[in-house]
Each structure stands twice: as structure tokens, then as C-alpha cells.
Amino acid sequence: MPVEVTWWGHATCTVADSNVRVLTDPLFARRLAHLRRRRGAVPPPGAWRAQVAVVSHLHADHLHVPSLARLEQGTRLLVPRGALRSVPGLRRLTHLRITEMAPGDVAPVGDLTVRAVPARHDGRRLPVGPRRSPALGYVIEGEARTYFAGDTGLFESMAKEVGPVDVTLLPVGGWGPYLGDGHLDAGRAAEALARLAPRSAVPVHYGTYWPIGMDAVRPHEFHAPGDEFARLAAERAPGVSVHRLAHGESVRPEVSR
């Protein structure tokens, strides 16, 4: 079966490869603290099904305990090293099989392997969590090699650490009018694409959540990143097919054979 990617919004995707469903940074909430979902429906129960879910870092919009609680009995959950100590709510999810990961660790899941790679991002549980847990990306290796970047900025060794990949799921925006350090905007994501040189790319982490009461503040940062990434990718990485998905939409991207 060809690899299929479904974008549910924010950083939540399903990657189906080798008869295994991998769910990234599950977030199934209409509202999270000061954020509300402005575009796209909350993912339906069918989106909760996966053999394995991966969490890139401990921020609440990426490690959301109520969303993880909805995963089916026996689902494997890969989280950054130290997460169980930093996020006590994880220890109540006894129906999940939780494995802590550090860069370089590999987890076999059916006919897939999931490899943790470094990310340049503050991975601790905010606002006051200790700096004990690394931010991670993951490379899902089956019929294709799919890189889920989580949240990250550009870093010098990105291409070396990630290795050759067929598909990239790259963040191109955020949930507020300004992006801090350790993030990719559309331009930096296009530069990452040029360095990684995959066959296909899907922009994520934009156009979903926005602070309540700030709809009129720099609205282009909510609406524009996907189109801007596609435009810049065509200039800087013209050999890469960019698939700009709507919420809940799927694609079977081109991969190497």
C-alpha cells in the first residue's frame, strides 16, 4: 500500500505505511488554554486509531494528556526522555505502552521503525518545567522514509541527523502572531526543504489554533504560511512536490523506489 499522509490540523497527522498507522502529536481539542480552534473540525474518533503515536516535545499543544487518553488500549506511545517525570498525567495513561526516547533511539513497530532525531526547540513542560527533556523529530521508516519535524528551528546538522527522506512534514507557522526562537516560518521551512531534499513535503503547524480575542492581530500569520511555503519551496527546492492539505485531507505522496 502506498504511503498516505492525513493532516488533522496543527502538528497532528496520521502517516499510514506498511499497514501501520502512526499518529503525530495528537491534539483533539476545540480549545486549549488561551487557544481556540479557528479552522477545521476537531479530528473524528477515526483519527484516534493508530498502532503508535509519537510526541515531539512536552508543550501542551503537542503533549496533550486528554487527547492521549482517547487513544485505544495497547497503543504504543513514544515520548521524549524524562516526560514521565515532568508530566505526571502521563503515568495515569495505563492503557498505553509508553516508551521514552532520546535522539538516536529506534523503536520497531510492526514492519516500521521509528527513529528519534534531534530538534532545535525548548522541549520542557512550560511555563516552569525543568530542562530535562529533549525536543525530538521522528523518522518513520517503512516503504518510505517520512520525517516529522515536530517543532524545530534550522540547525547546522539537520540533514545529517535526519538522513535521506522521501517525505517531510514541516512546521511552517505557529499559533500566535509572532514566532519565537526555535521555530520554522515559511521561509526557514523552505530552506530546511532545500537541505533535506525529499521527494514530497506537507506543511503543518499553521492555520488551526489562534489566541482568543486576537483574530485581527497579524491575521496573515494565521492564513498565509501554507501558501507562502509552497511559493518559496518552488524557488528554493523546485524538485520537491509540495502538498498543501486542508484539514482532514489525505495525500499519497511521491516517494523513491
Side-chain angles (χ1 to χ4, degrees), residues 106-118:
V106 176
V109 185
D111 291 331
L112 290 180
T113 59
V114 181
R115 175 168 53 93
V117 298

Side-chain angles (χ1 to χ4, degrees), residues 15 68 71 88 95 104 119 139 153 155 159 161 185 200 203 213 218-219 224 240 249:
V15 178
L68 296 175
L71 300 180
H95 66 298
V139 178
F155 54 98
E161 297 282 1
D185 60 10
S200 304
R218 294 172 61 85
V240 180
E249 187 176 7

Side-chain angles (χ1 to χ4, degrees), residues 4-88:
E4 183 174 82
V5 175
T6 304
W7 182 49
W8 301 109
H10 202 53
T12 306
C13 300
T14 296
V15 178
D17 187 342
S18 304
N19 296 312
V20 176
R21 289 168 59 90
V22 182
L23 187 61
T24 67
D25 286 354
L27 183 55
F28 307 138
R30 187 169 301 282
R31 179 172 173 176
L32 174 65
H34 64 298
L35 305 178
R36 67 178 176 91
R37 192 174 180 112
R38 286 190 58 200
R39 181 181 288 168
V42 174
W48 310 349
R49 293 187 300 101
Q51 282 72 49
V52 59
V54 300
V55 168
S56 61
H57 62 289
L58 306 192
H59 294 178
D61 59 321
H62 293 258
L63 194 167
H64 186 243
V65 173
S67 295
L68 296 175
R70 296 180 180 180
L71 300 180
E72 294 182 339
Q73 177 79 31
T75 302
R76 190 162 186 191
L77 177 63
L78 308 182
V79 299
R81 182 190 56 220
L84 287 164
R85 180 169 53 173
S86 297
V87 187

